[in-house]
Amino acid sequence: MLHLWFSLLSGLYCFVGHVRFCRAEEGLEFPNFDGKDRVLDINERNYKKALRRFDLLCLFYHEPVPNHKGLQKRFQMTELVLELTAQVLENKDIGFGMVDAQKDFKVAQRLGLGEVGILYVFKDDRILEFDGELSADTLVEFLLDVLEDPVEMINNAMEIRAFERMEEDIRLIGFFKGEDSYFKAFKEASERFQPYIKFFATFDKSVAKQLSLKMNEVNFYEPFMEEPAILPGRPLTEMDIVEFVSQHRRATLRKLRAENMFETWEDDMDGIHIVAFAEEEDPDGYEFLEILKDVARDNTNNPDLSIVWIDPDDFPLLTTYWEKTFNLDLFRPQIGVVNVTDADSVWLDMTSDEELPTAEQLEDWIEDVLSGRVNTEDDDSFGDDEEEEEHRGHDTEDRDEMRRPYQEDEDEDEMV
């Protein structure tokens, strides 16, 4: 059931957003596919040449093209996304290809492609997995970020202010003597997490002083936290930094983003997510988000707490689906606990028009969730055993179906 969250986005939004519905004024014309084939059919004969030819090579690893007409359409839409992305980035030295899991299995093994339905990005000697919504605009933004230097330099007060405003992102910043210093280890560590985690550095003493950084020190900023954590030890090795980031990258409050939505959703806490819906541009949504930030800051040291914040404005095509699935009104802020395997959920009663819950009330409810007193199975009736069995049968398939643009299924015609 949960796979519909994202297959809807991949299947519908991926190309519709780029169709030219009416004549645009010069300078505001969205690109649409020009009909030229740019996506390669990767095989034994050409994969080495493709790796040498491009700075970035993006390979979509897919199941054999199905006979089912509806699934064929979805596969064609995936091809169109890649073709349009290749067209837009034609001058950026980025190549695109498709690898058939059956026909080109040996190539996939040599390249290290392990999971079908994944877009793999080859940069230098690294392989990145694109864990986001398979739409052309999201993919273009992701790949442009990958082309950037993995470490951004902070050199003045204006750049410090820009850095401090990035409260939604995990950020690391270090102070080093120069390029030929322990900065090298910092830069090598940054390449492990690019572009999902932001790395910054400065060689300027005045900038370091404003950020309370000592020489060879690295600070880690968790999203929405006012004070950073200082990485233990000086100077730090590459592995010191990698291990710390790996242990602390699950934030207490994190935002669901199109570019890494699958990675976030798969990183559940014992099979559940605490999910908060709030529109940041809406007054009630903004107020509720500020309350969530207070709760997160008060509980930042609790390793069992992680709240996923979803701004419905970021996912307009999914809003009505979420409202129907969870029986919610997303014009108002909401918070609940969601089972990641079957989308069963329980939501905090926020029907009162008078006031939003306080931080203390939210913390009490969260404590009930973490202790098991609030459970997604509590509202299941005795007569639901057959339905639960059906859900269990689909549990192992949900993760793959969330990612894959197509898969054999008798009911697929209803989705297309």
Side-chain angles (χ1 to χ4, degrees):
M1 188 175 188
L2 264 180
H3 70 277
L4 287 175
W5 280 41
F6 305 122
S7 63
L8 272 171
L9 268 177
S10 299
L12 296 173
Y13 186 63
C14 60
F15 196 65
V16 170
H18 301 282
V19 175
R20 184 181 170 191
F21 290 102
C22 59
R23 186 182 67 83
E25 295 298 329
E26 199 68 27
L28 288 178
E29 218 173 314
F30 283 95
N32 51 324
F33 182 46
D34 62 7
K36 179 180 177 181
D37 291 334
R38 296 173 176 85
V39 177
L40 304 172
D41 179 12
I42 297 296
N43 53 47
E44 288 268 11
R45 296 186 303 277
N46 65 6
Y47 79 94
K48 291 182 180 179
K49 181 179 178 181
L51 286 170
R52 291 192 301 266
R53 177 181 172 187
F54 301 103
D55 287 343
L56 288 184
L57 179 62
C58 307
L59 299 182
F60 183 69
Y61 187 39
H62 64 90
E63 296 278 14
V65 180
N67 294 323
H68 192 287
K69 288 184 179 179
L71 299 181
Q72 287 177 354
K73 289 179 182 178
R74 295 184 67 183
F75 180 76
Q76 290 164 2
M77 291 178 76
T78 301
E79 285 187 295
L80 285 174
V81 169
L82 296 179
E83 288 288 2
L84 182 58
T85 305
Q87 177 182 321
V88 171
L89 298 175
E90 190 168 22
N91 297 322
K92 296 293 184 180
D93 201 23
I94 302 176
F96 293 81
M98 303 187 81
V99 181
D100 189 299
Q102 180 175 305
K103 186 174 63 176
D104 302 306
F105 178 70
K106 290 184 178 179
V107 174
Q109 281 189 315
R110 293 192 183 102
L111 293 173
L113 312 185
E115 185 177 353
V116 293
I118 295 290
L119 183 74
Y120 293 89
V121 181
F122 291 77
K123 180 183 181 182
D124 301 326
D125 58 348
R126 293 184 293 138
I127 304 178
L128 294 77
E129 290 186 18
F130 174 65
D131 258 329
E133 169 199 341
L134 194 58
S135 64
D137 51 358
T138 301
L139 188 51
V140 166
E141 183 178 2
F142 172 83
L143 293 173
L144 291 177
D145 285 344
V146 173
L147 284 176
E148 295 287 333
D149 194 300
V151 179
E152 186 173 343
M153 303 305 298
I154 303 291
N155 298 308
N156 54 54
M158 185 177 296
E159 291 176 348
I160 291 174
R161 289 196 294 272
F163 170 81
E164 291 175 338
R165 285 197 296 268
M166 299 173 65
E167 69 166 2
E168 296 178 0
D169 298 288
I170 294 178
R171 295 159 289 151
L172 287 89
I173 186 164
F175 175 38
F176 306 98
K177 185 176 291 187
E179 294 276 354
D180 296 323
S181 66
Y182 291 103
F183 171 75
K184 289 182 178 179
F186 184 76
K187 186 172 183 179
E188 287 170 357
S190 71
E191 293 173 351
R192 304 279 196 103
F193 301 101
Q194 187 193 22
Y196 294 117
I197 294 177
K198 312 296 184 185
F199 280 69
F200 298 84
T202 187
F203 304 149
D204 189 297
K205 290 183 179 179
S206 63
V207 170
K209 184 177 180 180
Q210 285 185 261
L211 292 170
S212 302
L213 279 167
K214 299 176 182 178
M215 180 61 70
N216 295 325
E217 188 173 79
V218 175
N219 282 358
F220 177 93
Y221 287 79
E222 183 181 337
F224 307 108
M225 297 299 140
E226 295 172 338
E227 297 297 327
I230 300 173
L231 271 68
R234 276 192 298 159
L236 294 158
T237 67
E238 176 187 353
M239 288 313 300
D240 290 334
I241 299 169
V242 169
E243 288 176 8
F244 185 92
V245 174
S246 299
Q247 290 173 10
H248 295 83
R249 67 183 300 172
R250 181 195 285 140
T252 310
L253 177 62
R254 48 187 169 162
K255 186 178 184 182
L256 190 73
R257 300 170 179 273
E259 63 268 24
N260 64 347
M261 57 202 300
F262 297 109
E263 180 185 46
T264 299
W265 196 254
E266 289 165 9
D267 184 29
D268 56 79
M269 302 287 284
D270 297 324
I272 65 167
H273 277 301
I274 296 176
V275 177
F277 289 100
E279 296 180 8
E280 191 172 16
E281 298 299 322
D282 174 74
D284 283 343
Y286 177 83
E287 181 182 351
F288 187 64
L289 183 57
E290 292 301 306
I291 296 170
L292 283 175
K293 292 178 188 178
D294 288 340
V295 171
R297 288 164 186 157
D298 288 343
N299 295 273
T300 185
N301 294 320
N302 185 347
D304 297 322
L305 177 61
S306 181
I307 303 169
V308 177
W309 164 42
I310 301 176
D311 190 332
D313 286 344
D314 294 341
F315 303 96
L317 289 180
L318 283 175
T319 300
T320 55
Y321 173 77
W322 283 328
E323 289 183 328
K324 181 180 179 181
T325 300
F326 300 130
N327 193 26
L328 296 175
D329 174 11
L330 293 187
F331 284 103
R332 292 179 52 80
Q334 307 285 351
I335 187 168
V337 55
V338 178
N339 187 311
V340 299
T341 58
D342 59 13
D344 200 4
S345 62
V346 177
W347 299 85
L348 178 63
D349 185 3
M350 295 172 57
T351 55
S352 172
D353 292 331
E354 297 177 3
E355 292 182 349
L356 293 168
T358 65
E360 291 75 16
Q361 289 170 326
L362 275 184
E363 288 186 9
D364 289 343
W365 180 83
I366 288 170
E367 184 178 335
D368 288 341
V369 171
L370 298 181
S371 67
R373 289 191 291 271
V374 173
N375 192 296
T376 58
E377 306 302 321
D378 287 346
D379 60 349
D380 291 345
S381 64
F382 181 78
D384 287 341
D385 291 346
E386 185 175 334
E387 183 178 347
E388 288 181 10
E389 283 298 321
E390 183 180 348
H391 283 315
R392 291 192 193 101
H394 289 293
D395 284 354
T396 57
E397 301 171 8
D398 278 341
R399 179 174 177 271
D400 291 337
E401 289 203 23
M402 283 169 61
R403 288 178 174 274
R404 297 173 189 169
Y406 68 94
Q407 181 170 327
E408 292 288 355
D409 192 326
E410 292 180 356
D411 296 329
E412 233 8 90
D413 275 336
E414 298 177 10
M415 294 177 56
V416 177

